[in-house]
Structure formats: structure tokens, C-alpha cells
Amino acid sequence: MVRTIELNKRQETILEIVKENGPITGENIAERLNLTRATLRPDLAILTMAGFLDARPRVGYFYTGKSGTQLLTENLNKLHVKDYQSIPVVVHENVSVYDAICTMFLEDVGTLFVVDQASLLVGVLSRKDLLRASIGKQELTNIPVNIIMTRMPNIAMCIKEDLVIDVAKKLIEKQIDALPIVKETEKGFEVIGRITKTNLTKAFLALAEGN
């Protein structure tokens, strides 16, 4: 359920005035409401920033005609991975499952990215991968992570210019908790960041709070 912005009575009245008479100046809107321009300034700012109104110098305000859903979609399409990414936690492909488990707990993350000698992405380790390997009588210190990790080309990735909404779709479709943010090189993909469900939650919360 999408929560839309709630307007007060005066803001709704301003919208109706602009719908019927736009483009219209702030002074003319104030006259119709028997208020000063200064009194209306916060309301006009809210309506403009929320996308209900647009303003042009020496012309005035006019109604955008956009629904709450359209405005939400426009705002979502302005959120990019680079603005919400966090630092990746990587391990080498020859590290043991035991060491990978320790790293995951110490770094308090749910996903580890596995790299080779050239520091290029070769795999991904999730909590499920490590839990699955822990069940049984294997000696975890003797099992390298490259045996249990998800390998290329079955790794979902993204780049920093991608939209947050597209990353959210990938996480849902793949039923995973995080994606590596990569930079393509001649030899492969270099891990430069990560984006997780927590990052996405922060992004959507910032959007809801108007930040």
C-alpha cells in the first residue's frame, strides 16, 4: 500500500484555484484566499516540492496534472545505487568456510563477495550457503569457499548508475539479500560496493520523508 502525502484544507484549496485559473501568480492566489503572500509561501513550497504544482518565473504557478502514483514513480526513478551503496565485504576464494563464517559474523553482514587473486568477482556467499555447508560432519576449516559459493555467470550484479527500483526488483526475483556493485574491467568485474535490502529500506524511507 502506497502512502501518499496528506494535504491540509488550505493546500487543497490552493490546488483547486490553480487547476481552474493557472498559470496564476502567488499574489493572485493570496488575494483569492484573503491572505498575505508570506502566509502562503510554505504551502506553495510544499505543493511545488511534492510535484503537485510547478512554477515559472514571471508566469506563476500551474497544476502538473499528475497523480500521486505518477509523482511517486518519478521520484523513485531519481534514486540511484551510487547514492545508497555501502562498503562491500569480500573474501578470497581459497578462504575456508570456517573463516568465511567468522568474517560474516564479525562484519555483521548477510552476504560475502568472493574474489580471485586479481581481486575480481568470482562468487557470492550467502548465510544459506554457509549454513548448508555447516550441516554434517565436514571439517569446515578444510573446505574452501569456492566449493560452496554461487559462481559466475549465475551472479546477479548491478552498477552504481542503476536505479534503486531496478535493484529492488532483482532482489525480489532472485530471492537474495544483496547485490555486488561492480565496475567492468578488461579482465572481469571489480567489486566496488554493495547494496542490500537495508540500503533500499533507507532509500525508500528517505523518499517518504521528503529527503
Side-chain angles (χ1 to χ4, degrees), residues 69-186:
T69 301
Q70 288 173 312
L71 294 171
L72 177 61
T73 300
E74 284 187 2
N75 286 326
L76 283 173
N77 286 329
K78 295 176 184 176
L79 304 182
H80 290 88
V81 166
K82 62 184 177 182
D83 299 317
Y84 297 96
Q85 69 183 61
S86 50
I87 298 172
V89 179
V90 301
V91 294
H92 191 270
E93 61 182 335
N94 293 327
V95 160
S96 70
V97 170
Y98 176 82
D99 287 337
I101 292 173
C102 292
T103 300
M104 184 171 283
F105 275 95
L106 288 173
E107 297 291 342
D108 192 23
V109 294
T111 306
L112 299 175
F113 305 121
V114 186
V115 298
D116 61 12
Q117 294 284 358
S119 297
L120 298 175
L121 180 66
V122 292
V124 173
L125 281 171
S126 68
R127 288 191 185 99
K128 290 181 182 178
D129 295 324
L130 296 176
L131 178 60
R132 193 179 299 114
S134 301
I135 298 174
K137 298 181 180 180
Q138 305 101 314
E139 180 55 57
L140 300 182
T141 56
N142 295 331
I143 304 173
V145 294
N146 59 20
I147 293 178
I148 67 168
M149 68 186 185
T150 299
R151 294 175 172 275
M152 297 288 280
N154 298 316
I155 300 174
M157 302 176 288
C158 66
I159 59 175
K160 63 182 182 178
E161 290 80 15
D162 284 342
L163 293 175
V164 165
I165 190 66
D166 291 333
V167 169
K169 291 175 184 176
K170 277 189 181 181
L171 292 180
I172 293 171
E173 289 170 1
K174 302 290 184 179
Q175 296 184 355
I176 54 180
D177 295 328
L179 287 181
I181 304 168
V182 300
K183 179 176 69 175
E184 188 170 6
T185 69
E186 292 181 358

